[in-house]
Coordinates of all heavy atoms in Angstrom, one line a residue:
M23 N 72.4 97.7 118.4 CA 73.0 98.7 117.5 C 71.9 98.9 116.3 O 71.6 97.9 115.6 CB 74.3 98.4 117.1 CG 75.0 99.4 116.3 SD 76.7 99.1 116.2 CE 77.0 99.6 114.6
A24 N 71.6 100.1 116.0 CA 70.7 100.5 114.9 C 71.4 100.1 113.5 O 72.6 100.3 113.4 CB 70.1 101.7 115.0
A25 N 70.6 99.6 112.6 CA 71.2 99.3 111.3 C 71.5 100.7 110.6 O 70.8 101.6 110.8 CB 70.2 98.6 110.4
P26 N 72.7 100.8 109.8 CA 73.0 102.0 109.2 C 72.0 102.5 108.2 O 71.4 101.6 107.6 CB 74.4 101.8 108.6 CG 74.4 100.3 108.5 CD 73.5 99.7 109.6
E27 N 71.7 103.7 108.0 CA 70.9 104.2 107.0 C 71.6 104.8 105.8 O 72.6 105.5 106.0 CB 69.9 105.3 107.6 CG 69.0 104.8 108.7 CD 68.0 105.9 109.1 OE1 67.8 106.8 108.4 OE2 67.5 105.8 110.3
A28 N 71.0 104.6 104.6 CA 71.7 105.1 103.5 C 71.7 106.7 103.5 O 70.6 107.3 104.0 CB 70.9 104.5 102.2
L29 N 72.7 107.3 103.0 CA 72.8 108.7 102.9 C 72.1 109.2 101.7 O 71.9 108.5 100.7 CB 74.2 109.1 102.9 CG 75.1 108.8 104.1 CD1 76.6 109.0 103.7 CD2 74.7 109.6 105.3
R30 N 71.6 110.5 101.9 CA 70.9 111.1 100.8 C 71.9 111.4 99.6 O 73.0 111.6 100.0 CB 70.3 112.4 101.2 CG 69.1 112.2 102.2 CD 68.5 113.5 102.7 NE 69.5 114.4 103.0 CZ 69.4 115.6 103.2 NH1 68.2 116.2 103.1 NH2 70.4 116.5 103.4
A31 N 71.4 111.4 98.4 CA 72.3 111.6 97.2 C 73.1 113.0 97.4 O 74.4 112.9 97.1 CB 71.5 111.7 96.0
E32 N 72.5 114.0 97.8 CA 73.3 115.3 98.0 C 74.4 115.2 99.0 O 75.4 115.8 98.9 CB 72.4 116.4 98.2 CG 71.4 116.3 99.4 CD 70.2 115.7 99.1 OE1 70.0 115.1 98.0 OE2 69.2 115.9 99.8
D33 N 74.2 114.4 100.1 CA 75.1 114.2 101.2 C 76.2 113.3 100.6 O 77.4 113.6 101.0 CB 74.5 113.5 102.4 CG 73.4 114.4 103.1 OD1 73.6 115.6 103.0 OD2 72.5 113.8 103.7
V34 N 75.9 112.2 99.8 CA 77.0 111.5 99.2 C 78.0 112.3 98.4 O 79.1 112.2 98.4 CB 76.4 110.3 98.4 CG1 77.4 109.7 97.5 CG2 75.6 109.3 99.4
E35 N 77.3 113.2 97.5 CA 78.2 113.9 96.5 C 79.0 114.8 97.5 O 80.2 115.0 97.1 CB 77.2 114.8 95.6 CG 76.4 114.0 94.7 CD 77.3 113.5 93.6 OE1 78.3 114.1 93.3 OE2 76.8 112.5 92.9
A36 N 78.5 115.5 98.4 CA 79.3 116.4 99.3 C 80.5 115.6 99.9 O 81.6 116.1 100.0 CB 78.5 117.0 100.4
R37 N 80.2 114.5 100.5 CA 81.2 113.7 101.1 C 82.3 113.2 100.1 O 83.5 113.2 100.5 CB 80.6 112.4 101.9 CG 79.6 112.8 103.0 CD 80.3 113.4 104.1 NE 81.4 112.7 104.7 CZ 81.1 111.6 105.6 NH1 80.0 111.3 106.2 NH2 82.3 110.9 106.0
V38 N 81.9 112.7 99.0 CA 82.9 112.1 98.0 C 83.8 113.3 97.6 O 85.0 113.1 97.4 CB 82.1 111.6 96.8 CG1 83.2 111.2 95.7 CG2 81.5 110.3 97.2
S39 N 83.2 114.5 97.4 CA 84.2 115.6 96.9 C 85.3 115.8 97.9 O 86.3 116.3 97.6 CB 83.4 116.8 96.6 OG 82.9 117.4 97.9
G40 N 85.1 115.5 99.2 CA 86.1 115.8 100.2 C 87.0 114.5 100.6 O 87.8 114.6 101.6
L41 N 86.8 113.5 99.7 CA 87.5 112.2 100.1 C 88.5 111.9 98.9 O 88.1 111.6 97.8 CB 86.4 111.0 100.2 CG 87.0 109.7 100.7 CD1 87.5 109.8 102.1 CD2 85.8 108.8 100.6
S42 N 89.7 112.2 99.2 CA 90.7 112.0 98.1 C 90.8 110.6 97.6 O 90.7 109.7 98.3 CB 92.1 112.5 98.5 OG 92.5 111.7 99.6
D43 N 91.0 110.5 96.2 CA 91.3 109.3 95.5 C 90.0 108.3 95.3 O 90.2 107.2 94.9 CB 92.4 108.5 96.0 CG 93.7 109.4 96.1 OD1 94.0 109.9 95.0 OD2 94.3 109.5 97.1
W44 N 88.9 108.8 95.8 CA 87.7 107.9 95.7 C 86.7 108.6 94.7 O 86.5 109.8 94.7 CB 86.9 107.7 97.1 CG 87.7 106.8 97.9 CD1 88.8 107.3 98.8 CD2 87.6 105.4 98.2 NE1 89.2 106.2 99.6 CE2 88.5 105.1 99.3 CE3 86.8 104.5 97.7 CZ2 88.7 103.9 99.7 CZ3 86.8 103.2 98.2 CH2 87.9 102.8 99.1
T45 N 86.0 107.8 94.0 CA 84.9 108.3 93.1 C 83.6 107.5 93.4 O 83.6 106.4 94.0 CB 85.4 108.1 91.6 OG1 85.6 106.7 91.4 CG2 86.6 109.0 91.3
L46 N 82.6 108.1 92.7 CA 81.2 107.2 92.9 C 81.2 106.5 91.5 O 81.5 107.0 90.4 CB 80.2 108.2 92.8 CG 79.8 108.9 94.2 CD1 78.7 109.9 93.9 CD2 79.5 107.8 95.2
D47 N 80.9 105.2 91.7 CA 80.8 104.3 90.4 C 79.7 103.3 90.7 O 79.8 102.5 91.6 CB 82.2 103.7 90.1 CG 82.1 102.8 88.9 OD1 81.8 103.4 87.9 OD2 82.5 101.6 89.0
E48 N 78.6 103.4 89.9 CA 77.5 102.5 90.0 C 77.1 102.4 91.4 O 76.8 101.3 92.0 CB 78.0 101.1 89.5 CG 78.3 101.1 88.0 CD 78.7 99.8 87.5 OE1 78.7 98.8 88.3 OE2 79.2 99.7 86.4
G49 N 76.8 103.6 92.1 CA 76.4 103.6 93.4 C 77.2 103.2 94.6 O 76.9 103.0 95.7
T50 N 78.5 103.0 94.2 CA 79.5 102.6 95.2 C 80.6 103.6 95.3 O 80.9 104.4 94.3 CB 80.2 101.2 94.9 OG1 81.0 101.4 93.8 CG2 79.2 100.1 94.7
L51 N 81.4 103.6 96.5 CA 82.7 104.3 96.4 C 83.6 103.4 95.8 O 83.7 102.3 96.1 CB 83.0 104.6 97.9 CG 82.4 105.7 98.7 CD1 82.7 105.8 100.1 CD2 82.4 107.0 98.0
Y52 N 84.5 104.0 94.9 CA 85.5 103.2 94.3 C 86.8 103.8 94.3 O 87.0 105.0 94.2 CB 85.0 103.1 92.7 CG 86.0 102.3 91.9 CD1 86.0 101.0 92.0 CD2 87.0 102.9 91.1 CE1 86.9 100.2 91.2 CE2 87.9 102.2 90.4 CZ 87.9 100.8 90.4 OH 88.8 100.2 89.7
R53 N 87.9 102.9 94.6 CA 89.2 103.4 94.5 C 90.1 102.2 94.0 O 89.8 101.0 94.2 CB 89.7 103.6 95.9 CG 91.1 104.1 95.9 CD 91.7 104.8 97.2 NE 93.1 105.2 96.8 CZ 93.8 105.7 97.7 NH1 93.4 105.9 98.9 NH2 95.1 106.1 97.4
E54 N 91.1 102.6 93.2 CA 92.0 101.7 92.7 C 93.3 102.1 93.2 O 93.8 103.3 93.2 CB 92.0 101.8 91.2 CG 92.8 100.7 90.5 CD 92.5 100.7 89.0 OE1 91.5 100.4 88.5 OE2 93.5 101.1 88.3
V55 N 94.1 101.2 93.8 CA 95.5 101.3 94.3 C 96.5 100.5 93.6 O 96.3 99.3 93.5 CB 95.6 101.1 95.8 CG1 96.8 101.4 96.4 CG2 94.4 101.8 96.7
R56 N 97.5 101.2 93.0 CA 98.7 100.5 92.4 C 99.7 100.4 93.5 O 100.2 101.3 93.9 CB 99.0 101.1 91.2 CG 98.0 101.2 90.1 CD 98.6 101.3 88.7 NE 97.5 101.6 87.8 CZ 96.9 100.6 87.2 NH1 97.3 99.3 87.3 NH2 95.9 100.7 86.3
C57 N 100.2 99.1 93.7 CA 101.3 98.9 94.5 C 102.6 98.4 93.8 O 102.5 98.3 92.6 CB 100.9 97.7 95.6 SG 99.3 98.1 96.4
R58 N 103.6 98.3 94.5 CA 104.9 98.0 93.9 C 104.8 96.6 93.1 O 105.4 96.4 92.1 CB 106.0 97.9 94.8 CG 106.6 99.1 95.4 CD 107.9 98.9 96.3 NE 107.6 97.9 97.2 CZ 107.3 98.0 98.4 NH1 107.1 99.3 99.0 NH2 107.2 96.9 99.3
D59 N 104.2 95.7 93.9 CA 104.1 94.3 93.2 C 103.0 93.6 93.9 O 102.3 94.0 94.7 CB 105.4 93.6 93.5 CG 105.9 93.6 94.9 OD1 105.1 93.6 95.8 OD2 107.2 93.5 95.1
F60 N 102.9 92.2 93.7 CA 101.8 91.4 94.2 C 101.8 91.4 95.7 O 100.9 91.5 96.4 CB 101.8 90.1 93.6 CG 100.8 89.1 94.1 CD1 99.5 89.2 93.8 CD2 101.2 88.2 95.0 CE1 98.5 88.3 94.4 CE2 100.2 87.3 95.7 CZ 98.9 87.4 95.3
V61 N 103.1 91.2 96.3 CA 103.2 91.0 97.7 C 102.8 92.3 98.4 O 102.1 92.2 99.5 CB 104.7 90.7 98.0 CG1 104.9 90.7 99.5 CG2 105.0 89.2 97.6
D62 N 103.1 93.4 97.9 CA 102.8 94.7 98.5 C 101.3 94.8 98.4 O 100.5 95.3 99.3 CB 103.5 95.8 97.7 CG 103.3 97.1 98.5 OD1 103.4 97.2 99.7 OD2 103.0 98.2 97.8
A63 N 100.6 94.4 97.2 CA 99.2 94.5 97.1 C 98.4 93.5 98.1 O 97.4 94.0 98.7 CB 98.7 94.2 95.7
F64 N 99.0 92.4 98.2 CA 98.3 91.5 99.1 C 98.5 91.9 100.6 O 97.6 91.8 101.4 CB 99.0 90.1 98.9 CG 98.3 89.0 99.6 CD1 97.3 88.4 98.9 CD2 98.6 88.5 100.8 CE1 96.5 87.3 99.5 CE2 97.9 87.5 101.5 CZ 96.8 86.9 100.8
G65 N 99.7 92.6 101.0 CA 99.8 93.0 102.3 C 98.8 94.2 102.6 O 98.3 94.2 103.7
L66 N 98.6 95.1 101.6 CA 97.6 96.1 101.8 C 96.2 95.5 102.0 O 95.6 95.9 102.9 CB 97.6 97.0 100.5 CG 96.5 98.1 100.5 CD1 96.8 99.1 101.8 CD2 96.5 98.9 99.2
M67 N 95.9 94.5 101.3 CA 94.6 93.9 101.5 C 94.4 93.3 102.8 O 93.4 93.4 103.5 CB 94.3 92.9 100.3 CG 94.1 93.5 99.0 SD 93.8 92.2 97.7 CE 92.1 91.9 98.0
A68 N 95.5 92.7 103.4 CA 95.5 92.1 104.7 C 95.3 93.2 105.8 O 94.5 92.9 106.6 CB 96.8 91.3 105.0
R69 N 96.0 94.4 105.6 CA 95.8 95.4 106.5 C 94.4 96.0 106.5 O 93.8 96.2 107.5 CB 96.9 96.6 106.2 CG 98.3 96.1 106.6 CD 99.3 97.2 106.5 NE 99.4 97.8 105.3 CZ 100.1 97.4 104.2 NH1 100.7 96.2 104.3 NH2 100.2 98.1 103.1
I70 N 93.9 96.1 105.2 CA 92.5 96.6 105.1 C 91.5 95.6 105.8 O 90.6 96.0 106.5 CB 92.1 96.9 103.6 CG1 93.0 98.1 103.2 CG2 90.6 97.1 103.5 CD1 92.8 98.2 101.7
A71 N 91.8 94.4 105.5 CA 90.8 93.2 106.0 C 90.7 93.3 107.6 O 89.7 93.1 108.2 CB 91.3 92.0 105.6
L72 N 91.8 93.6 108.2 CA 91.9 93.8 109.7 C 91.0 94.8 110.2 O 90.2 94.7 111.1 CB 93.3 93.8 110.3 CG 94.1 92.6 110.0 CD1 95.6 92.9 110.5 CD2 93.6 91.5 110.9
V73 N 91.1 96.0 109.6 CA 90.3 97.2 109.8 C 88.8 97.0 109.5 O 87.9 97.2 110.4 CB 90.8 98.4 109.1 CG1 89.9 99.6 109.3 CG2 92.2 98.8 109.6
A74 N 88.6 96.4 108.3 CA 87.2 96.1 108.0 C 86.5 95.1 108.9 O 85.4 95.3 109.3 CB 87.2 95.5 106.5
E75 N 87.3 94.1 109.3 CA 86.8 93.2 110.2 C 86.4 93.7 111.6 O 85.3 93.5 112.2 CB 87.7 92.0 110.4 CG 87.1 90.8 111.3 CD 85.9 90.1 110.7 OE1 85.7 90.3 109.5 OE2 85.2 89.4 111.5
S76 N 87.2 94.6 112.1 CA 87.0 95.3 113.3 C 85.8 96.2 113.2 O 85.1 96.4 114.2 CB 88.2 96.1 113.8 OG 88.3 97.3 113.0
M77 N 85.4 96.7 112.0 CA 84.2 97.5 111.9 C 83.0 96.7 111.5 O 81.9 97.2 111.4 CB 84.4 98.6 110.7 CG 85.6 99.5 111.0 SD 85.8 100.6 109.6 CE 84.2 101.4 109.3
D78 N 83.2 95.4 111.2 CA 82.2 94.6 110.7 C 81.5 95.1 109.5 O 80.4 95.2 109.3 CB 81.1 94.2 111.8 CG 80.2 93.0 111.4 OD1 80.6 92.3 110.6 OD2 79.0 93.1 111.8
H79 N 82.4 95.6 108.6 CA 82.0 96.3 107.4 C 83.1 95.9 106.3 O 84.2 96.3 106.4 CB 81.9 97.8 107.6 CG 81.2 98.5 106.4 ND1 80.0 98.1 106.0 CD2 81.6 99.4 105.6 CE1 79.7 98.9 104.9 NE2 80.6 99.6 104.7
H80 N 82.7 95.1 105.3 CA 83.6 94.5 104.4 C 83.5 95.1 103.0 O 82.4 95.1 102.4 CB 83.5 93.0 104.5 CG 83.5 92.5 105.8 ND1 82.3 92.3 106.6 CD2 84.6 92.2 106.7 CE1 82.7 91.9 107.9 NE2 84.0 91.9 107.9
P81 N 84.6 95.3 102.3 CA 84.7 95.8 101.0 C 84.4 94.7 100.0 O 84.6 93.5 100.3 CB 86.1 96.4 100.9 CG 86.9 95.5 101.8 CD 85.9 95.2 102.9
D82 N 83.9 95.1 98.8 CA 83.9 94.3 97.6 C 85.2 94.7 97.0 O 85.5 95.7 96.6 CB 82.7 94.6 96.7 CG 81.4 94.1 97.4 OD1 81.3 93.1 98.1 OD2 80.4 94.9 97.2
W83 N 86.1 93.7 96.7 CA 87.3 94.0 96.1 C 88.0 92.9 95.3 O 87.5 91.7 95.4 CB 88.3 94.5 97.2 CG 88.6 93.5 98.4 CD1 88.1 92.2 98.5 CD2 89.5 93.8 99.4 NE1 88.6 91.8 99.6 CE2 89.5 92.6 100.2 CE3 90.1 94.8 99.9 CZ2 90.2 92.5 101.4 CZ3 90.8 94.7 101.1 CH2 90.8 93.6 101.8
S84 N 89.0 93.3 94.6 CA 89.8 92.3 93.8 C 91.2 92.9 93.7 O 91.5 94.1 93.9 CB 89.2 92.0 92.5 OG 89.2 93.2 91.6
N85 N 92.1 91.9 93.3 CA 93.4 92.4 93.0 C 93.9 91.6 91.8 O 93.6 90.5 91.6 CB 94.4 92.5 94.2 CG 95.2 91.1 94.3 OD1 94.6 90.1 94.6 ND2 96.5 91.1 94.1
S86 N 94.7 92.3 91.0 CA 95.4 91.6 89.8 C 96.8 92.1 89.9 O 97.1 93.4 89.8 CB 94.7 92.1 88.5 OG 95.3 91.5 87.4
W87 N 97.7 91.2 90.3 CA 99.1 91.5 90.5 C 99.4 92.6 91.4 O 99.3 92.4 92.6 CB 99.9 91.6 89.2 CG 101.4 91.6 89.4 CD1 102.1 90.6 89.9 CD2 102.3 92.7 89.2 NE1 103.4 90.9 90.0 CE2 103.6 92.2 89.6 CE3 102.1 93.9 88.7 CZ2 104.7 93.0 89.5 CZ3 103.3 94.7 88.6 CH2 104.5 94.3 89.0
N88 N 99.5 93.9 91.0 CA 99.9 95.0 91.8 C 98.8 96.0 92.1 O 99.0 97.0 92.6 CB 101.0 95.7 91.3 CG 100.8 96.5 90.0 OD1 100.0 96.2 89.3 ND2 101.6 97.6 89.8
T89 N 97.6 95.6 91.5 CA 96.6 96.6 91.5 C 95.3 96.0 92.4 O 94.8 94.9 92.2 CB 95.9 96.9 90.1 OG1 97.0 97.4 89.4 CG2 94.8 97.9 90.2
V90 N 94.9 96.9 93.5 CA 93.8 96.5 94.3 C 92.6 97.4 93.9 O 92.8 98.6 93.9 CB 94.1 96.6 95.8 CG1 93.0 96.4 96.6 CG2 95.3 95.8 96.1
R91 N 91.5 96.8 93.7 CA 90.2 97.6 93.2 C 89.4 97.4 94.4 O 89.0 96.2 94.7 CB 89.7 97.1 91.9 CG 90.6 97.5 90.7 CD 90.1 96.9 89.5 NE 91.0 97.2 88.4 CZ 92.0 96.4 88.0 NH1 92.3 95.4 88.7 NH2 92.8 96.7 87.1
I92 N 88.8 98.5 95.0 CA 87.9 98.5 96.1 C 86.6 99.1 95.8 O 86.7 100.2 95.3 CB 88.6 99.2 97.3 CG1 90.0 98.6 97.5 CG2 87.8 99.0 98.6 CD1 90.9 99.5 98.3
R93 N 85.5 98.5 96.2 CA 84.2 99.1 96.2 C 83.6 99.0 97.5 O 83.5 97.9 98.2 CB 83.3 98.4 95.2 CG 83.7 98.6 93.7 CD 82.7 97.9 92.8 NE 83.1 98.1 91.4 CZ 83.0 99.1 90.7 NH1 82.4 100.2 91.1 NH2 83.5 99.2 89.5
L94 N 83.0 100.2 98.0 CA 82.4 100.1 99.3 C 80.9 100.5 99.1 O 80.6 101.4 98.4 CB 83.0 101.2 100.2 CG 84.5 100.9 100.5 CD1 85.0 102.1 101.3 CD2 84.7 99.7 101.1
T95 N 80.0 99.8 99.7 CA 78.6 100.2 99.9 C 78.1 99.4 101.0 O 78.7 98.4 101.5 CB 77.8 99.7 98.5 OG1 76.5 100.2 98.7 CG2 77.8 98.3 98.3
T96 N 77.0 99.8 101.6 CA 76.3 99.0 102.7 C 75.1 98.3 102.1 O 74.1 98.9 101.9 CB 75.9 100.0 103.9 OG1 77.0 100.7 104.2 CG2 75.4 99.2 104.9
H97 N 75.3 97.0 101.7 CA 74.3 96.3 101.1 C 73.0 96.3 101.9 O 71.8 96.4 101.3 CB 74.7 94.9 100.8 CG 75.9 94.8 99.8 ND1 75.8 94.9 98.6 CD2 77.2 94.6 100.2 CE1 76.9 94.9 98.0 NE2 77.9 94.6 99.0
S98 N 73.1 96.2 103.3 CA 71.8 96.1 104.1 C 71.1 97.4 104.1 O 69.9 97.3 104.3 CB 72.2 95.7 105.5 OG 73.0 96.7 106.0
A99 N 71.7 98.5 103.8 CA 71.0 99.8 103.8 C 70.6 100.2 102.3 O 70.0 101.2 102.1 CB 71.9 100.8 104.4
G100 N 71.2 99.4 101.3 CA 70.9 99.7 100.0 C 71.5 100.9 99.3 O 71.0 101.6 98.3
G101 N 72.6 101.2 99.9 CA 73.4 102.4 99.4 C 74.6 102.7 100.3 O 75.0 102.0 101.1
L102 N 75.1 103.9 100.1 CA 76.2 104.3 100.9 C 75.8 104.9 102.3 O 74.8 105.6 102.4 CB 76.9 105.4 100.2 CG 77.6 104.9 98.9 CD1 78.1 106.0 98.0 CD2 78.8 103.9 99.2
T103 N 76.5 104.5 103.3 CA 76.3 105.1 104.7 C 77.6 105.6 105.3 O 78.6 105.6 104.6 CB 75.8 103.8 105.6 OG1 76.9 103.0 105.7 CG2 74.7 103.1 104.9
E104 N 77.5 106.1 106.4 CA 78.7 106.6 107.2 C 79.7 105.5 107.2 O 81.0 105.9 107.3 CB 78.2 107.1 108.5 CG 77.6 108.4 108.6 CD 78.6 109.6 108.2 OE1 79.8 109.5 108.4 OE2 78.0 110.4 107.5
L105 N 79.3 104.3 107.3 CA 80.3 103.2 107.5 C 81.3 103.2 106.2 O 82.5 103.0 106.4 CB 79.6 101.8 107.6 CG 79.1 101.5 109.0 CD1 78.3 100.2 108.8 CD2 80.3 101.2 110.0
D106 N 80.7 103.5 105.1 CA 81.6 103.4 104.0 C 82.5 104.5 103.9 O 83.7 104.3 103.5 CB 80.6 103.5 102.6 CG 79.6 102.3 102.6 OD1 80.1 101.1 102.6 OD2 78.4 102.5 102.7
F107 N 82.1 105.7 104.3 CA 83.0 106.8 104.3 C 84.0 106.6 105.4 O 85.2 107.0 105.2 CB 82.3 108.2 104.5 CG 81.5 108.5 103.1 CD1 80.2 108.1 102.9 CD2 82.3 109.2 102.1 CE1 79.6 108.4 101.7 CE2 81.6 109.4 100.9 CZ 80.2 109.0 100.7
T108 N 83.7 106.2 106.4 CA 84.6 105.9 107.5 C 85.7 104.9 107.1 O 86.9 105.1 107.3 CB 84.0 105.5 108.8 OG1 83.0 106.4 109.3 CG2 85.0 105.1 110.0
L109 N 85.2 103.8 106.5 CA 86.2 102.9 106.1 C 87.0 103.4 104.8 O 88.3 103.1 104.9 CB 85.3 101.5 105.5 CG 86.3 100.4 105.1 CD1 87.4 99.9 106.1 CD2 85.5 99.2 104.8
A110 N 86.6 104.2 103.9 CA 87.3 104.7 102.9 C 88.5 105.6 103.6 O 89.6 105.5 103.1 CB 86.4 105.5 102.0
Q111 N 88.1 106.4 104.4 CA 89.1 107.3 105.2 C 90.2 106.4 105.9 O 91.4 106.7 105.7 CB 88.5 108.1 106.2 CG 89.5 109.2 106.8 CD 90.2 110.0 105.7 OE1 89.5 110.6 104.8 NE2 91.6 110.1 105.8
K112 N 89.8 105.3 106.5 CA 90.7 104.5 107.0 C 91.7 103.7 106.0 O 92.9 103.6 106.3 CB 90.0 103.4 108.0 CG 89.5 104.1 109.2 CD 88.8 103.0 110.1 CE 88.1 103.7 111.3 NZ 88.6 103.2 112.6
I113 N 91.0 103.4 104.9 CA 91.9 102.8 103.8 C 92.8 103.8 103.2 O 94.0 103.5 103.1 CB 91.0 102.4 102.7 CG1 90.1 101.1 103.2 CG2 91.7 101.9 101.5 CD1 89.0 100.6 102.3
N114 N 92.4 105.2 103.1 CA 93.3 106.1 102.7 C 94.5 106.3 103.7 O 95.7 106.4 103.2 CB 92.6 107.4 102.7 CG 91.8 107.7 101.3 OD1 91.8 106.9 100.5 ND2 91.1 108.8 101.2
E115 N 94.3 106.2 104.9 CA 95.4 106.3 105.9 C 96.3 105.1 105.8 O 97.5 105.3 106.0 CB 94.7 106.4 107.4 CG 94.0 107.6 107.6 CD 93.2 107.6 108.9 OE1 93.2 106.6 109.6 OE2 92.4 108.6 109.0
L116 N 95.8 103.9 105.5 CA 96.6 102.7 105.4 C 97.4 102.9 104.1 O 98.7 102.5 104.1 CB 95.7 101.4 105.3 CG 95.2 101.0 106.6 CD1 94.2 99.9 106.4 CD2 96.2 100.6 107.6
V117 N 96.9 103.3 103.1 CA 97.7 103.4 101.7 C 98.7 104.6 102.0 O 99.8 104.4 101.4 CB 96.7 103.9 100.7 CG1 97.4 104.3 99.4 CG2 95.7 102.7 100.3
Q118 N 98.5 105.6 102.8 CA 99.5 106.7 102.8 C 100.6 106.3 103.9 O 101.7 106.8 103.8 CB 98.8 108.0 103.3 CG 97.8 108.6 102.2 CD 97.1 109.7 102.7 OE1 97.0 109.9 104.0 NE2 96.2 110.3 101.9
G119 N 100.1 105.3 104.8 CA 101.0 105.1 106.0 C 102.3 104.4 105.6 O 103.2 104.4 106.1

């Protein structure tokens, strides 16, 4: 399988504008999700982890009580790739689910 290639800046801008609840921050896709409480936040992270592992593409993230902060980038490509946008969409589906 070929290594993912970083998207061009104009492609990133176009893709982000169509991706609800995500912004560009320091060259990464960024989203913050507020949950009911710590258990709900931890459960969301577990569901995301299963999807990320199946894609072999893992977020940089943290949580503080009920808030999960997620950053996506493809370190090996030096920027954002299709993998990041695919994972972001799957995360949106989990949050809405």
Side-chain angles (χ1 to χ4, degrees):
M23 184 167 147
E27 292 186 24
L29 298 169
R30 297 177 314 166
E32 55 269 16
D33 295 332
V34 168
E35 290 288 337
R37 296 289 305 273
V38 169
S39 67
L41 190 61
S42 64
D43 301 311
W44 292 85
T45 59
L46 283 177
D47 185 54
E48 298 179 6
T50 68
L51 284 178
Y52 178 79
R53 179 164 184 189
E54 189 171 293
V55 181
R56 293 199 188 273
C57 302
R58 280 189 317 264
D59 54 27
F60 176 77
V61 172
D62 192 41
F64 194 83
L66 174 63
M67 291 179 79
R69 291 188 302 279
I70 293 169
L72 293 172
V73 171
E75 183 65 17
S76 74
M77 294 176 63
D78 194 27
H79 190 60
H80 306 96
D82 293 323
W83 58 3
S84 65
N85 90 292
S86 178
W87 191 62
N88 71 335
T89 304
V90 179
R91 292 175 183 87
I92 308 164
R93 290 187 184 279
L94 301 177
T95 190
T96 304
H97 297 286
S98 62
L102 294 168
T103 68
E104 280 298 320
L105 280 172
D106 300 302
F107 286 95
T108 299
L109 182 53
Q111 185 56 48
K112 290 179 184 236
I113 290 170
N114 280 358
E115 291 167 9
L116 289 170
V117 170
Q118 294 167 356

